[in-house]
Amino acid sequence: MHSSSPVGEITDIVKKLNSGASFYADAISHVASENYQAMFTRMQEEKVRAINTLQPLSNLEKDNAKAGSNGCIELRHLYTSILATIASDHDYTYMKQLIEVEESILHAIDKALDVGPPPEQASTLRLVRTRMQQCHDEMLSLHSAAVSQIA
């Protein structure tokens, strides 16, 4: 469900964050690299913090905020699980797909800001966006390091 109201957009973000946190939790258990596990744990923790920050501004009640999910991210998660079974490098496969999750979350936050939320909501969204941009940048740095090791 996509809504053009600030509350509807924030609800969509919370669902994406929840799916992203779940995806990271699964990735932690499937990657071999301790560095990836540590990075993914930090990313998952940031998603949970963002959920807790945005949930009061959403249509989701506190108990339901962790149950909400985003179909697109859930499909990417399933796709990655299947791809990882045939890929030679599980760590890289998960990392590459999680970068896409980060981009999806940033896009959703930008969309919510474009709707023109009230100032207090906009401020909260910008704060969460800054943290999610840091997550995205860290994942890109991890990707760059992985690519340079392959080359």
Side-chain angles (χ1 to χ4, degrees), residues 42-61:
R42 281 196 318 278
M43 299 299 129
Q44 179 192 23
E45 289 167 354
E46 280 298 326
K47 302 300 170 275
V48 170
R49 272 194 279 283
I51 291 165
N52 291 334
T53 300
L54 293 176
Q55 177 274 322
L57 306 176
S58 75
N59 284 331
L60 300 170
E61 295 180 25

Side-chain angles (χ1 to χ4, degrees), residues 21-36:
S22 174
F23 196 161
Y24 274 108
D26 184 57
I28 292 164
S29 68
H30 284 92
V31 297
S33 166
E34 289 181 11
N35 289 338
Y36 280 39

Side-chain angles (χ1 to χ4, degrees), residues 9-142:
E9 296 296 337
I10 292 170
T11 300
D12 287 345
I13 295 166
V14 172
K15 289 178 178 181
K16 283 186 183 230
L17 288 164
N18 193 49
S19 292
S22 174
F23 196 161
Y24 274 108
D26 184 57
I28 292 164
S29 68
H30 284 92
V31 297
S33 166
E34 289 181 11
N35 289 338
Y36 280 39
Q37 289 172 351
M39 171 83 78
F40 292 177
T41 298
R42 281 196 318 278
M43 299 299 129
Q44 179 192 23
E45 289 167 354
E46 280 298 326
K47 302 300 170 275
V48 170
R49 272 194 279 283
I51 291 165
N52 291 334
T53 300
L54 293 176
Q55 177 274 322
L57 306 176
S58 75
N59 284 331
L60 300 170
E61 295 180 25
K62 188 169 183 122
D63 294 339
N64 293 336
K66 291 189 172 60
S69 65
N70 176 267
C72 292
I73 292 178
E74 293 299 323
L75 283 174
R76 181 170 297 283
H77 186 172
L78 177 62
Y79 167 75
T80 303
S81 297
I82 294 167
L83 186 61
T85 63
I86 59 173
S88 60
D89 188 344
H90 290 57
D91 294 7
Y92 184 81
T93 300
Y94 273 93
M95 182 229 347
K96 188 85 166 118
Q97 294 303 313
L98 287 164
I99 290 171
E100 296 293 329
V101 170
E102 295 295 340
E103 290 172 0
S104 175
I105 291 168
L106 287 171
H107 176 73
I109 295 170
D110 290 342
K111 186 176 173 189
L113 286 166
D114 286 345
V115 171
E120 60 280 350
Q121 286 181 356
S123 177
T124 302
L125 283 166
R126 282 193 287 280
L127 174 69
V128 169
R129 191 191 188 292
T130 298
R131 293 195 326 241
M132 293 304 105
Q133 184 67 54
Q134 290 168 342
C135 290
H136 179 258
D137 294 348
E138 285 186 54
M139 290 297 289
L140 287 178
S141 293
L142 184 65

